[in-house]
Amino acid sequence: MRPKKEEIARAAAALRAGRLVVMPTETVYGLAASALNARALGRVFAAKGRPADNPLIVHVGSKAELARVAASVPALARKLVRAFWPGPLTVVVPAAPSLPRAVTAGLATVAVRMPAHPVALALIRAAGVPVAAPSANRSGRPSPTTVAHARGDLGCAVAVYLDGGPAEHGLESTVVDCTGPRPVVLRPGAITVEQIQRVCGDLAIGTRGADAPRSPGMKYRHYAPSARVWVIEGRATEARAGVQRTLGRLAAADRRAGVIAIGDERYAGAEVFRVPTLAALGRELYAIFREADARGLEDLVVRAVPERGLGRALMNRMRKAAER
Ligand code: TXA
Ligand code: MG
């Protein structure tokens, strides 16, 4: 499964030459380009069909490399990096003025993370440049958790595809703004709010409140299958009954529905995607979205999960998928 040394060397050479590489990370697959090459960055936006005002995450191969893409490293960022790198945590810090505009979308800040996947680290280190990498999907599609998903979306726009197996987390990194007095979680992810609180104490969640700092990417409809997604709110028993009622209503309207069953939940009258745990739902959510579309399902029903721990990231992605 793990790509060979020669394949990583070939991918690193492609990056240095301004071409695109799909790389595995522990969160989702990334569409990698040299963060120092404006033309390569242009190819990323074109391949994804990504709006130009949505900045990219720069991936680095060591903690020390953060200082090379940042104008300064706030103490808060240093603390988070020490606790969570390499891993699924992205820090937003003041941007080095030398970075191409396409990376930051003209913002004064840059988002940076050091991935925990050995193939991603080997690639970044072999390339010898910081690597900008959005998720390797067409804009608006669910993030890819296997190399086949990425290939299906991006085809021959990419020079080298590196297969690192199914992604370990399946949800994108936690994005934390470190430019203010306290951390602001702009996008919940695999590193939980509770984990960050243990390291930093007080924090804010940027997706709530009208005047909260925004992550440009959060305004777009995201993570969505073509099937209509229904997230049934409420506590466990109530939500499960709500799911079954919704399935009944969809069946009566002659719609082809799927349902995500968590643990030993039982539902009738729909195609069932079963996941044993919430961690498994995190790993498989995007693959289920894609599979629902492949099967031509018109609706996909899932119950709400408690908004703590990983549940916060799950509810963020599921609600976004349910937006119309
Ligand atoms: O797990 C991940 O983070 C994956 C893998 C490939 O590393 N990457 C990823 O990239 O999810 P992307 O481009 O799909 O999402 C980047 C998010 C967007 O919501 C974007 O708006 C935000 O990070 N972002 C990037 N730069 C930012 C900045 N300077 N300030 C605030 N938000 C920023
Ligand atoms: Mg994305």
Side-chain angles (χ1 to χ4, degrees), residues 232-245 265-267 303-304:
I232 309 303
E233 306 273 350
R235 287 168 164 284
T237 321
E238 199 190 321
R240 281 197 290 266
V243 168
Q244 191 54 67
R245 264 198 312 278
E265 290 169 12
R266 301 239 157 257
Y267 299 113
R303 72 163 166 90

Side-chain angles (χ1 to χ4, degrees), residues 207-231:
T207 47
R208 293 206 194 114
D211 59 354
R214 284 181 313 144
S215 197
M218 301 304 284
K219 70 171 180 276
Y220 296 105
R221 182 165 180 264
H222 254 147
Y223 320 120
S226 306
R228 174 139 198 200
V229 176
W230 304 86
V231 181

Side-chain angles (χ1 to χ4, degrees), residues 27 30 50 54-55 57 59 109 111 113 133-135 172-173 187 215-217:
T27 57
R50 183 177 176 106
N54 194 1
I57 294 176
H59 294 64
T109 54
R113 90 175 184 99
S135 48
E172 305 83 352
S173 63
R187 180 176 73 183
S215 197

Side-chain angles (χ1 to χ4, degrees), residues 210-294:
D211 59 354
R214 284 181 313 144
S215 197
M218 301 304 284
K219 70 171 180 276
Y220 296 105
R221 182 165 180 264
H222 254 147
Y223 320 120
S226 306
R228 174 139 198 200
V229 176
W230 304 86
V231 181
I232 309 303
E233 306 273 350
R235 287 168 164 284
T237 321
E238 199 190 321
R240 281 197 290 266
V243 168
Q244 191 54 67
R245 264 198 312 278
T246 303
L247 293 177
R249 209 161 41 69
L250 292 168
D254 249 349
R255 296 184 54 105
R256 279 197 65 199
V259 63
I260 299 180
I262 304 168
D264 56 9
E265 290 169 12
R266 301 239 157 257
Y267 299 113
E271 294 190 31
V272 176
F273 299 90
R274 185 168 300 285
V275 292
T277 60
L278 290 189
L281 180 55
R283 274 193 303 277
E284 289 174 34
L285 182 67
Y286 292 148
I288 292 172
F289 284 176
R290 285 173 183 266
E291 179 60 23
D293 285 350

Side-chain angles (χ1 to χ4, degrees), residues 12 16 24 44 51 64 74 100 104 120 133 155 170 176 185 240 252 258 270 277 280 284 288 293 312-313:
R16 279 194 303 270
V44 168
T104 59
V176 182
V185 176
R240 281 197 290 266
T277 60
E284 289 174 34
I288 292 172
D293 285 350
R312 240 189 222 98

